[in-house]
Amino acid sequence: MKSLIIGFGSAGKKHFKSLKKIKKIKKIKILSSLKINKKFLIKKKEIISYDPDYILITNLTKLHYRSLSYIDHNFQNKLIFVEKPIFHKYINFKSKNNNKIIVGYNLRHNPVIDFLKKKFRNKKINHVKIECKSYLPSWRKNLPYHKTNTAQRIGGGALLELSHEIDYMIYIFGKFKVNYKFQKKLSKLKIENEDIYQINGFSKNVKFFSIYVNLFDKRNERKVSIYTDNNLTIGDINKNYVKIINNEKVKVFKFSKKNTFDEQHKEILSKNFNKTCNLNDALSILKIIEKKL
């Protein structure tokens, strides 16, 4: 099996490392303007004759639509992976050549998310509180944060870069309706978009949910708290555990750390799409992000 990676920034490098571990992948080529090993480098005019089986689009978010359109136009029946978010804004895209399009919401492959989905899917819940707090300047050591995709006016900001929280809310609890949305730049971070957002709403089985995300908090937390009539369940995604509190009884489930990039590609290439984010799911997330209230 031959693979192609379009774009070789921080995301492209992570996916490259994952693909190198998969025996099924016999050849990897990279389309990039960066200086890389000539063994892997490919020119755009060579892509069609190379005829890759598994194509990864990992360049800047604002370039995703152009890259995906080119690939979809020139190939058919291919497996195409697009790093999240799929586009920098909502675009009603459909494959014209029966290509299978998957979007890289890799937290679906985190063991905590997996546990919570199995436990709470289709269950009645009073309140879900999702929090993601991180400090943007500490994300990447090899590139100043103000030069990253996250800092850019188009394709950046907390909503797009940390749309994982919106995705796994839908993945675990089903589609929801939004009745409150807040997004703004509050800190002195050198970025051109919002550094905080909050979304509140409800769904068929969840009476109330809140998603809170910021890019300026040095605590680095990623948690899901689920309140039912019987107990409180806390899932810590960063520390890989789930705690269930029922009156004075506490149960803790600990999970070994997994490379969610590795797990994601293994399942995709084995044609197991149960956990993957498909094209429609990814476009629904952009509709939520752009929703005006």
Side-chain angles (χ1 to χ4, degrees):
M1 178 177 274
K2 293 184 290 184
S3 181
L4 169 69
I5 299 175
I6 300 175
F8 206 58
S10 58
K13 289 181 174 68
K14 287 179 182 178
H15 291 295
F16 176 70
K17 288 180 181 178
S18 292
L19 294 186
K20 284 182 73 179
K21 299 174 189 176
I22 300 172
K23 292 180 180 179
K24 191 180 287 187
I25 301 291
K26 303 299 182 184
K27 200 171 185 180
I28 304 173
K29 290 292 183 181
I30 302 165
L31 179 67
S32 175
S33 58
L34 299 176
K35 289 183 178 180
I36 59 174
N37 191 323
K38 291 182 179 180
K39 172 184 174 183
F40 299 106
L41 194 62
I42 191 172
K43 296 178 181 178
K44 187 175 180 179
K45 63 183 180 181
E46 299 170 333
I47 289 175
I48 294 174
S49 60
Y50 175 57
D51 192 25
D53 305 290
Y54 187 33
I55 302 159
L56 284 68
I57 296 172
T58 63
N59 51 6
L60 294 175
T61 304
K62 63 185 180 182
L63 302 178
H64 284 185
Y65 176 71
R66 186 169 71 188
S67 299
L68 182 57
S69 298
Y70 174 80
I71 294 298
D72 189 64
H73 176 76
N74 286 288
F75 296 100
Q76 59 182 357
N77 300 313
K78 296 292 185 180
L79 203 50
I80 304 173
F81 175 95
V82 185
E83 184 52 83
K84 63 83 196 163
I86 185 166
F87 303 133
H88 64 284
K89 64 178 182 179
Y90 177 78
I91 301 169
N92 187 19
F93 185 92
K94 291 182 180 179
S95 175
K96 297 176 181 178
N97 283 311
N98 199 37
N99 289 302
K100 178 74 175 177
I101 299 169
I102 292 153
V103 183
Y105 284 98
N106 59 297
L107 284 186
R108 291 187 178 206
H109 299 266
N110 180 281
V112 171
I113 298 298
D114 195 44
F115 180 96
L116 296 178
K117 180 176 173 63
K118 289 174 181 175
K119 183 173 177 61
F120 290 105
R121 187 70 171 177
N122 298 320
K123 298 285 180 65
K124 297 295 182 182
I125 298 161
N126 292 330
H127 176 38
V128 174
K129 181 172 71 173
I130 292 175
E131 298 174 287
C132 178
K133 304 164 188 173
S134 64
Y135 187 55
L136 178 59
S138 67
W139 280 19
R140 299 178 182 95
K141 294 179 180 179
N142 62 330
L143 185 67
Y145 79 90
H146 59 277
K147 293 184 179 181
T148 63
N149 185 56
T150 312
Q152 296 191 25
R153 183 178 62 84
I154 299 175
L159 268 164
L160 283 171
E161 281 296 296
L162 292 174
S163 52
H164 279 292
E165 275 54 43
I166 298 171
D167 176 66
Y168 68 70
M169 175 71 200
I170 298 170
Y171 177 64
I172 298 171
F173 305 104
K175 291 183 178 180
F176 57 77
K177 292 186 178 180
V178 177
N179 55 23
Y180 173 81
K181 180 181 169 187
F182 173 84
Q183 61 188 99
K184 197 167 185 178
K185 184 177 185 299
L186 298 180
S187 73
K188 293 182 179 180
L189 288 175
K190 296 176 183 178
I191 65 175
E192 298 184 46
N193 255 320
E194 77 284 342
D195 53 22
I196 184 173
Y197 80 79
Q198 179 159 332
I199 294 175
N200 296 349
F202 61 93
S203 70
K204 180 181 177 182
N205 293 315
V206 179
K207 292 180 182 178
F208 175 72
F209 78 84
S210 60
I211 301 174
Y212 170 84
V213 170
N214 78 51
L215 298 175
F216 50 74
D217 198 314
K218 296 181 182 180
R219 283 176 290 182
N220 191 27
E221 294 179 344
R222 206 164 209 163
K223 292 183 179 180
V224 185
S225 300
I226 302 164
Y227 300 81
T228 67
D229 289 331
N230 300 316
N231 54 48
L232 163 63
T233 300
I234 301 171
D236 192 313
I237 296 168
N238 286 351
K239 295 181 179 178
N240 290 295
Y241 72 79
V242 172
K243 183 187 292 185
I244 300 176
I245 305 167
N246 189 343
N247 295 323
E248 295 180 0
K249 295 180 181 179
V250 178
K251 283 185 180 180
V252 178
F253 301 85
K254 295 182 179 180
F255 305 96
S256 57
K257 189 175 182 179
K258 288 186 177 181
N259 185 317
T260 52
F261 285 83
D262 291 357
E263 296 297 316
Q264 183 174 236
H265 291 301
K266 285 177 187 175
E267 294 195 18
I268 291 169
L269 292 173
S270 65
K271 301 295 176 71
N272 178 0
F273 303 118
N274 291 330
K275 292 182 183 178
T276 54
C277 178
N278 61 38
L279 176 63
N280 289 334
D281 290 344
L283 292 177
S284 294
I285 291 167
L286 291 181
K287 282 184 178 180
I288 292 167
I289 288 172
E290 294 184 5
K291 185 178 178 66
K292 306 292 184 184
L293 294 176

